[in-house]
Amino acid sequence: MKPFTLALAAAALLSTPALAALKAGDKAPDFVAPGFQAGKALTFSMAEARRKGPVVLYFFPAADTAGCNLEAKMFADAMPQFAANGATVIGVTAGKLDKLQQISADADKCSGKFPVAADPGAKIARQYDAVMAARPDWSDRTSYVISPKGEVLHSYSKLDPTEHVAQTLGAVKAFKAKR
């Protein structure tokens, strides 16, 4: 293969997101993970969060990168809308775990408004089929909305971070409207 063709193939592979295997109606795995909110350490439990209402679980590739920072800021800015609809938001990553405490409190990122959890070895991401094809030790950019009963209500997988908030907020509002 010519170097240019090889470079194009590699770029295509890196830019192609994995399709979320968990679909609406599937059982969402419960997990417990260490994380941070507003710079403070915490332990996040999916089962406990679901007791409060729907959970928006979004996987992101690596903390403190351009796309992930944008996505975190967009989720932080939308937190009043998620809260008004009874939803909990949690970000999970398998990449750059040493940056989580910092971004959890940073006003240009999470702003302390929701927790971010560490997923060493992408164990949680694998359960949700949210690993990056080109880097299986990193999370893909995949978002889920999970019902209080543990059922996947909505999944969205795309490397571009700009639609994840709209996709998940729309699903949360639709869930609330049905109740």
Side-chain angles (χ1 to χ4, degrees), residues 108-150:
D108 291 327
K109 295 159 188 142
C110 300
S111 302
K113 295 184 179 180
F114 62 90
V116 286
D119 183 16
K123 292 176 184 125
I124 300 165
R126 276 195 237 336
Q127 291 179 329
Y128 281 85
D129 197 22
V131 294
M132 191 174 282
R135 291 194 75 167
D137 55 329
W138 279 26
S139 318
D140 193 14
R141 191 175 315 282
T142 300
S143 299
Y144 291 99
V145 177
I146 300 161
S147 79
K149 293 180 180 178

Side-chain angles (χ1 to χ4, degrees), residues 20-46:
L22 298 184
K23 304 292 182 217
D26 287 349
K27 179 75 174 142
D30 280 333
F31 64 89
V32 175
F36 297 93
Q37 184 168 358
K40 294 183 172 77
L42 58 77
T43 300
F44 180 86
S45 165
M46 175 59 82

Side-chain angles (χ1 to χ4, degrees), residues 74-160:
M74 291 175 74
F75 270 108
D77 290 348
M79 281 309 297
Q81 293 176 70
F82 283 110
N85 286 281
T88 298
V89 172
I90 173 78
V92 176
T93 189
K96 295 191 177 183
L97 303 180
D98 60 324
K99 303 281 187 176
L100 282 179
Q101 183 174 17
Q102 173 193 335
I103 71 155
S104 75
D106 191 316
D108 291 327
K109 295 159 188 142
C110 300
S111 302
K113 295 184 179 180
F114 62 90
V116 286
D119 183 16
K123 292 176 184 125
I124 300 165
R126 276 195 237 336
Q127 291 179 329
Y128 281 85
D129 197 22
V131 294
M132 191 174 282
R135 291 194 75 167
D137 55 329
W138 279 26
S139 318
D140 193 14
R141 191 175 315 282
T142 300
S143 299
Y144 291 99
V145 177
I146 300 161
S147 79
K149 293 180 180 178
E151 177 181 288
V152 173
L153 299 172
H154 182 75
S155 63
Y156 180 73
S157 212
K158 191 169 184 181
L159 203 51
D160 179 347

